[in-house]
Amino acid sequence: MSDTQRAADAGARPPVSQTLGQYEILEFLGKGGFGEVWKARDTRLNRIVAIKRLPESLLNDPERRERLRREALAASSLNHPNICTIHDLAEIGSEHVLVMEYIDGKTLHETLAAGPLPANEAIAITLQIADALGEAHRHSIIHRDIKSSNIMITPRKQVKVLDFGLARPVVSDVGDVEETEARLTRSGVTLGTVHYMSPEQLLGLTVDGRSDLFSLGVVLYELLTGRLPFEGSSMIAISDAILHRAPLPASSVAAVPLEIDRILERLLAKKRDERYPDAEEVIRDLSVFVSGEVQTARPGKRSSAVPWSIAAGVVLLAGVLLVPAWQKWSRQRWATQTAIPEVARLVEADRFTEAVRIARTAQSIVPDDPRLKNLWSAMTLLITADSNPTGANVYFAKYGAPENEWELLGRTPLKDAAAPRGTFYRWKLEKKGYLPAYRVGPWWGFRFRLKAVLDREGTIPPGMVHVPAGQFELSIPGLDHLDPVQLGDFLIDKFEVTNADYKKFVDAGGYQKREYWKQPFVKDGHPVPFETAMGEFVDSTGSPGPATWEVGDFPKGQADNPVGGVSWFEAAAYAEFAGKRLPTIFHWNGAAQTQTSPVVVPASNFGGHGPWAPGSHRSIGQYGAYDMAGNLKEWCSNEAEPGKRYILGGAWNEPNYMFIDQDAQNVWARPATFGFRTMKVLSADGIPRDAERAIWIPLRDFSKEKPASDEVFEAYRSLYSYDRTPLNAVIESTDPKPESWTVQKISFDAAYGNERVLAYLYLPKNARPPYQTVIFFPGSNAIHTDSIGSSPGPYGDFVPKSGRALMFPIYKGTYERRDKLTSDYPAMTAFYRDHVIAWAKDLRRSIDYLETRSDIDHGRFAFDGMSWGGEMGPLMAAVEPRIKTCIFISGGFDFQHSLPEADIFNFAPRMKQPVLMLNARYDHFFPVETSQLPMLRTIGTPEADKKYVVYESGHAPPRLEVTKESLAWLDRYLGPVRR
């Protein structure tokens, strides 16, 4: 029943007597916003009725009595099978009562407790509601409180719209009605239920029938999905969503056909002029859907004189008796002929969220379609989630989305749940009685694993977040080659230490108590006495405290700002005082997860005018810690060299790539941008020695290095030559199945040992031979993967689609030719050098093979390298002059040294081919200033034939933008393809 006919209310008062005039009171039904409702028997007419009466405390309120009178007048003028009938308005003694039809059934709100309804059932109900509203609107009556708890459905599936107590006649003349309206809708008063309100209702503007249609759209969305389209943690948040945010398409939440998405989009339009003009047109579009037609054309006004209440009844009867088979066929036709091709188009455009929304609907219709299954893997990310304890709800939202936009994915343990690819998400694992756990990701790949230990409320210190145990490697340029370290569970501060926090240390005599200063004071290699050291750690007025303070206190109004101007010694002493410690760089980097830089950095405080107060912005990291990027640089415990310790994350006045880069500073330094956060180890084993050790920075300053001389270089290059022996090539298989290309698997003799080189040749179907050919060099995932599969990947597949051939050699140590090679990082070993030489020979032998084929243009070869391939590109181009142009995607110089005959730095000046470098600003492998630009400047190509593009992304730049730039480059230097 409705919230005025059925909702239980333990505080309801019993009737003064068991009768009210001719009405025998039977039972209390509920209490709504405008009165109590009782079930009664009309003894005069011997019928069951419902009686609404004002509470005793409000009997003398003329405004409430007037609203009750208007409800009766409005509703009693309506005679419709889907509108609750008003029998009488009476004053019985001191009671003011409204007598109305008693309805035996459930409200839609109660019905939805069992879950959303099938589309056909939801639409059949909505048709009846719309017909009731159409009848009311034709009598110039607006309901203004359409919601699921005000709509009943009987056991015979008949809909009854209740509570026209908020109804308002539409009038144009002034008088007492206008006067009453002014009082009832005065400033600060809104009528209706906020989740269902139209924007104009929220803003207190004049409403018309289109406001009811907006509320009808909310109800339809709720019936189809089991949730409301506009949600939030407060009335303000809900109102903001209604006024400013588009709801998720219903088809992205449940199995809802796309044509219903379009109807909902029009019903829920923010501007009333963009909504349906009347209920009749809503009925028309919904009826077209029920009839089995999938298009949603908007015909003009009807000319038929048949009332829509009759038409809707006929449509409903047809839907029950005749339509199912026709509709099933029609929906299958839509899924196979319209939806799946549209999904393929959206996947090709990297619009994965939209693609998934349509695919879910199509999958509910044709679950076994093989095209859809193939597309599904291309557009979704498979999520596995585990928690301790299990049973946690797993929510996700786009990074930076408001708190009211979390979507429920499932409950742990969760395996291979699908979410759209192509974006960074925030994840939340939540269970009652436990603190929520947060994650950010994924940053690449098709799978993402969430693992969390949930802490009971009150079991960890406030202001800290839990980072679970695991193997942590450093995603810091120059240090990313180091072996990962196994760390136990630990806590890290959610925010940087603030001025107010640090003041407790100062007020507790922290600068006088030697027990907090565990580290020996050494300066320029000489010990420094405690008293002398304390003389260094004073504020601007000479009092003990950070360099940014005055007279032993922080500046007024900055209690919540992070404390700056502290040396490494001071940070370590405070941590000791707080019963914690400074993080190692493994702990800090593990909590910060610099791979999230594409979304974290833009949300962070770089290029600002000072530090942010903790939590004032949305720069949240992998485990829920804020402002690890920018704001203040943060001291870590590891030594980089004598007298210097690591300080990471960058500061508000530094370039944003400092979130990724390593930095080490003098332990005595106290700039205003130097701050810190602390951590606490939960593992009984403490901190591994490998995590705590001093770590030298192997950073190469390429501006100060000189490449090998020409004479020496020629000796190096000679190592890459080989005898042109017979290839003994074999085409091992040909697969013409892929839509855009035919792929051939080829093998031929290597230029070393007795090995055979494998290669995949992708031949276009949309061009004529002889084909221009691009030779591809993959990323380092090739070292850890058994096979390339059926596709050359997102940064190679555009080549055959463009009408060019793509040659994908299987380089020594990769894919099917994997050996003891475990890393692409340069090393000062003969093993690494010999692999580099083998890779170059594999590429050159691949071109040798291509020159034996008549369907290949022997004068138009290009090189395309991704990540590791972009790094190796200058060497490949320098030793192979048949390459006419190069594309380096996400490439740059590595910081680790190799033997000089395999050092890319020595080869880059010798490549002369035109080169396109496509890079990312937040690349944690190849930073802009120290890796990308040095490579660009060192390459020997004339400046007119170099192009460098930097995208606002992480390591992998946007695929579509890469495709666009690459094809334009190939057209420029190889010429257009033959069609």
Side-chain angles (χ1 to χ4, degrees):
M1 297 212 163
S2 77
D3 56 358
T4 58
Q5 283 207 355
R6 184 107 168 195
D9 184 355
R13 60 188 174 91
V16 174
S17 65
Q18 295 302 311
T19 59
L20 279 174
Q22 70 192 58
Y23 302 104
E24 178 186 357
I25 303 300
L26 301 177
E27 64 176 294
F28 173 71
L29 294 177
K31 181 178 181 181
F34 303 103
E36 296 174 356
V37 182
W38 300 81
K39 181 179 178 182
R41 186 171 66 86
D42 184 340
T43 58
R44 185 175 301 172
L45 298 176
N46 194 26
R47 63 181 177 184
I48 301 298
V49 297
I51 294 179
K52 176 187 286 188
R53 67 182 189 181
L54 289 174
E56 188 174 312
S57 59
L58 298 175
L59 287 176
N60 296 321
D61 186 336
E63 186 175 292
R64 288 295 179 100
R65 286 205 309 271
E66 174 61 18
R67 192 171 299 156
L68 188 64
R69 182 186 70 81
R70 287 175 49 233
E71 175 179 299
L73 291 174
S76 63
S77 69
L78 303 174
N79 182 15
H80 191 277
N82 298 124
I83 295 176
C84 179
T85 302
I86 299 298
H87 296 314
D88 192 15
L89 173 65
E91 185 173 345
I92 304 174
S94 61
E95 302 280 353
H96 292 75
V97 298
L98 186 70
V99 183
M100 51 192 165
E101 174 186 7
Y102 172 76
I103 301 166
D104 184 16
K106 292 183 177 181
T107 67
L108 293 184
H109 182 75
E110 291 172 321
T111 302
L112 286 169
L117 304 181
N120 286 350
E121 188 176 341
I123 292 165
I125 290 171
T126 305
L127 277 167
Q128 295 183 66
I129 303 169
D131 203 40
L133 290 176
E135 174 71 10
H137 295 168
R138 281 190 289 275
H139 287 78
S140 299
I141 294 172
I142 307 168
H143 190 287
R144 296 205 299 175
D145 196 24
I146 292 294
K147 58 185 177 182
S148 59
S149 57
N150 271 351
I151 299 165
M152 301 274 295
I153 185 164
T154 71
R156 299 181 64 183
K157 304 300 182 184
Q158 182 182 14
V159 166
K160 289 283 187 177
V161 180
L162 311 175
D163 285 3
F164 271 83
L166 294 177
R168 184 192 71 176
V170 180
V171 295
S172 57
D173 54 333
V174 296
D176 59 353
V177 172
E178 184 181 73
E179 207 172 286
T180 302
E181 278 298 304
R183 282 189 288 109
L184 294 177
T185 59
R186 64 187 181 270
S187 176
V189 175
T190 56
L191 304 179
T193 304
V194 66
H195 286 93
Y196 299 81
M197 280 188 178
S198 65
E200 56 268 28
Q201 267 184 294
L202 285 171
L203 296 172
L205 303 175
T206 303
V207 298
D208 58 24
R210 291 170 294 182
S211 181
D212 281 348
L213 297 185
F214 183 94
S215 303
L216 176 65
V218 176
V219 171
L220 175 56
Y221 190 101
E222 187 180 13
L223 292 173
L224 291 166
T225 68
R227 58 183 284 182
L228 292 163
F230 307 105
E231 296 180 310
S233 57
S234 65
M235 289 186 64
I236 293 175
I238 298 166
S239 301
D240 179 68
I242 292 172
L243 293 172
H244 304 298
R245 304 186 191 286
L248 287 171
S251 63
S252 71
V253 180
V256 176
L258 284 181
E259 52 268 34
I260 298 303
D261 268 345
R262 300 187 184 101
I263 292 173
L264 282 167
E265 183 179 3
R266 195 172 176 193
L267 282 168
L268 297 175
K270 307 296 184 191
K271 297 179 180 178
R272 70 179 93 186
D273 291 341
E274 296 176 2
R275 291 180 215 142
Y276 287 94
D278 51 48
E280 292 178 356
E281 198 161 331
V282 178
I283 293 169
R284 181 180 297 113
D285 273 5
L286 289 173
S287 300
V288 167
F289 169 73
V290 171
S291 71
E293 297 294 334
V294 297
Q295 68 273 14
T296 55
R298 314 289 185 200
K301 282 295 208 179
R302 64 184 176 92
S303 57
S304 169
V306 179
W308 272 105
S309 59
I310 298 175
V314 172
V315 167
L316 288 172
L317 182 60
V320 171
L321 300 178
L322 303 174
V323 165
W326 166 260
Q327 185 182 25
K328 180 179 179 181
W329 175 85
S330 177
R331 296 185 75 200
Q332 288 176 340
R333 182 185 61 183
W334 169 83
T336 57
Q337 298 181 16
T338 302
I340 295 176
E342 176 67 3
V343 170
R345 186 188 70 82
L346 292 169
V347 169
E348 181 66 22
D350 285 357
R351 293 163 61 182
F352 300 115
T353 300
E354 297 168 72
V356 167
R357 177 172 58 83
I358 298 174
R360 282 176 176 158
T361 303
Q363 189 180 49
S364 69
I365 301 168
V366 287
D368 298 322
D369 190 286
R371 295 173 299 162
L372 192 58
K373 287 182 178 180
N374 289 336
L375 289 166
W376 197 256
S377 63
M379 63 186 162
T380 56
L381 174 75
L382 296 181
I383 308 299
T384 296
D386 297 292
S387 66
N388 184 13
T390 59
N393 288 333
V394 180
Y395 298 91
F396 70 103
K398 284 188 176 181
Y399 190 93
E403 285 297 309
N404 63 353
E405 291 190 9
W406 290 107
E407 292 185 53
L408 178 64
L409 186 67
R411 182 173 293 178
T412 60
L414 192 64
K415 182 175 176 59
D416 288 348
R421 285 182 59 222
T423 188
F424 275 80
Y425 292 113
R426 284 184 63 203
W427 300 88
K428 177 170 65 172
L429 290 84
E430 194 171 56
K431 184 179 175 74
K432 187 175 182 180
Y434 294 84
L435 296 171
Y438 294 93
R439 299 292 185 269
V440 176
W443 36 91
W444 58 63
F446 290 86
R447 290 181 177 272
F448 185 56
R449 181 169 189 131
L450 298 164
K451 192 174 182 180
V453 176
L454 302 180
D455 299 291
R456 284 196 176 275
E457 293 174 348
T459 59
I460 67 171
M464 302 193 84
V465 297
H466 188 155
V467 181
Q471 281 208 332
F472 290 82
E473 56 186 4
L474 296 177
S475 299
I476 301 175
L479 303 178
D480 47 0
H481 67 292
L482 297 175
D483 291 335
V485 172
Q486 180 69 38
L487 301 179
D489 290 69
F490 66 95
L491 307 177
I492 194 164
D493 288 341
K494 188 174 184 179
F495 305 111
E496 293 159 317
V497 173
T498 67
N499 282 314
D501 295 330
Y502 200 84
K503 186 70 162 60
K504 297 174 184 176
F505 170 66
V506 175
D507 291 347
Y511 283 87
Q512 290 78 43
K513 296 180 179 179
R514 292 173 181 258
E515 61 266 29
Y516 299 138
W517 305 81
K518 302 288 189 181
Q519 301 298 325
F521 301 110
V522 178
K523 196 171 192 178
D524 300 326
H526 302 288
V528 176
F530 178 82
E531 293 76 10
T532 304
M534 292 304 109
E536 299 271 348
F537 306 142
V538 295
D539 63 24
S540 58
T541 62
S543 300
T548 54
W549 287 17
E550 297 179 6
V551 198
D553 202 355
F554 49 80
K556 185 177 180 180
Q558 294 188 18
D560 292 332
N561 280 23
V563 61
V566 293
S567 66
W568 181 85
F569 290 109
E570 290 166 285
Y574 171 87
E576 191 71 29
F577 161 78
K580 303 175 186 178
R581 54 156 296 142
L582 294 181
T584 72
I585 61 173
F586 285 92
H587 289 90
W588 191 96
N589 191 247
Q593 289 291 339
T594 50
Q595 299 99 322
T596 62
S597 58
V599 287
V600 170
V601 168
S604 300
N605 186 14
F606 285 107
H609 302 287
W612 288 342
S616 61
H617 292 72
R618 290 185 169 272
S619 177
I620 186 170
Q622 169 75 318
Y623 297 97
Y626 284 77
D627 299 322
M628 297 193 81
N631 224 34
L632 294 185
K633 300 167 78 73
E634 299 181 16
W635 285 112
C636 295
S637 64
N638 301 76
E639 188 176 45
E641 59 183 81
K644 286 188 175 182
R645 301 273 177 161
Y646 283 95
I647 185 165
L648 303 178
W652 58 267
N653 63 345
E654 291 186 315
N656 54 22
Y657 57 75
M658 289 305 297
F659 174 51
I660 299 165
D661 275 6
Q662 46 68 34
D663 191 11
Q665 296 292 333
N666 189 302
V667 290
W668 297 88
R670 309 173 78 227
T673 55
F674 285 18
F676 66 103
R677 73 181 70 217
T678 63
M679 63 163 284
K680 194 176 186 70
V681 178
L682 295 178
S683 169
D685 297 333
I687 292 182
R689 184 175 299 176
D690 282 351
E692 192 78 271
R693 72 188 190 275
I695 298 176
W696 173 70
I697 303 175
L699 185 64
R700 296 177 65 175
D701 186 345
F702 295 101
S703 66
K704 296 179 180 178
E705 292 191 35
K706 290 185 178 181
S709 67
D710 290 344
E711 182 179 10
V712 172
F713 177 74
E714 287 306 317
Y716 296 159
R717 179 150 55 186
S718 67
L719 298 174
Y720 294 81
S721 62
Y722 58 90
D723 296 328
R724 299 289 289 269
T725 55
L727 289 161
N728 297 316
V730 176
I731 298 177
E732 297 187 0
S733 64
T734 299
D735 185 0
K737 293 178 183 177
E739 294 182 5
S740 300
W741 56 71
T742 295
V743 59
Q744 294 181 345
K745 183 179 180 181
I746 301 156
S747 64
F748 46 84
D749 288 347
Y752 47 87
N754 295 315
E755 296 190 37
R756 295 277 287 177
V757 177
L758 290 177
Y760 291 87
L761 180 61
Y762 298 84
L763 299 170
K765 292 183 176 180
N766 58 355
R768 292 185 294 116
Y771 305 118
Q772 302 172 18
T773 306
V774 177
I775 297 91
F776 190 68
F777 199 115
S780 60
N781 63 301
I783 298 172
H784 311 287
T785 308
D786 292 332
S787 173
I788 65 171
S790 60
S791 168
Y795 293 95
D797 62 5
F798 69 86
V799 174
K801 290 178 182 178
S802 74
R804 297 175 174 90
L806 180 76
M807 185 67 162
F808 197 138
I810 305 302
Y811 299 91
K812 182 175 175 63
T814 70
Y815 295 120
E816 293 96 328
R817 300 181 66 205
R818 290 172 65 187
D819 57 16
K820 294 182 179 179
L821 181 72
T822 59
S823 172
D824 64 316
Y825 288 112
M828 295 286 287
T829 64
F831 177 82
Y832 177 78
R833 176 203 60 203
D834 292 346
H835 273 76
V836 172
I837 294 171
W839 300 332
K841 289 179 178 180
D842 289 344
L843 179 137
R844 300 189 70 193
R845 287 288 271 181
S846 297
I847 297 178
D848 291 347
Y849 167 76
L850 292 170
E851 289 183 328
T852 69
R853 296 184 57 137
S854 60
D855 58 348
I856 300 296
D857 187 331
H858 302 166
R860 289 182 170 86
F861 295 118
F863 174 89
D864 179 14
M866 168 63 192
S867 186
W868 175 35
E871 172 202 348
M872 298 302 302
L875 185 148
M876 299 294 161
V879 301
E880 182 46 80
R882 288 174 292 180
I883 293 174
K884 301 304 179 186
T885 189
C886 296
I887 301 170
F888 303 157
I889 305 169
S890 297
F893 283 147
D894 250 319
F895 299 113
Q896 292 79 21
H897 286 271
S898 63
L899 295 172
E901 58 268 33
D903 192 337
I904 307 298
F905 184 68
N906 288 327
F907 288 78
R910 275 78 190 193
M911 77 162 281
K912 305 298 180 183
Q913 296 94 329
V915 60
L916 171 66
M917 287 184 62
L918 302 173
N919 289 88
R921 192 173 307 282
Y922 311 119
D923 193 327
H924 55 281
F925 291 118
F926 303 114
V928 172
E929 297 292 334
T930 53
S931 174
Q932 296 173 23
L933 290 177
M935 174 180 276
L936 181 70
R937 295 173 186 134
T938 306
I939 286 172
T941 303
E943 291 300 319
D945 293 321
K946 292 181 183 179
K947 184 174 182 180
Y948 173 61
V949 182
V950 182
Y951 299 99
E952 299 297 317
S953 67
H955 177 60
R959 187 183 67 88
L960 289 180
E961 293 300 317
V962 165
T963 299
K964 179 181 175 182
E965 287 284 353
S966 298
L967 293 180
W969 189 260
L970 293 173
D971 285 344
R972 177 179 174 184
Y973 285 98
L974 297 186
V977 300
R978 293 165 56 88
R979 299 293 185 183

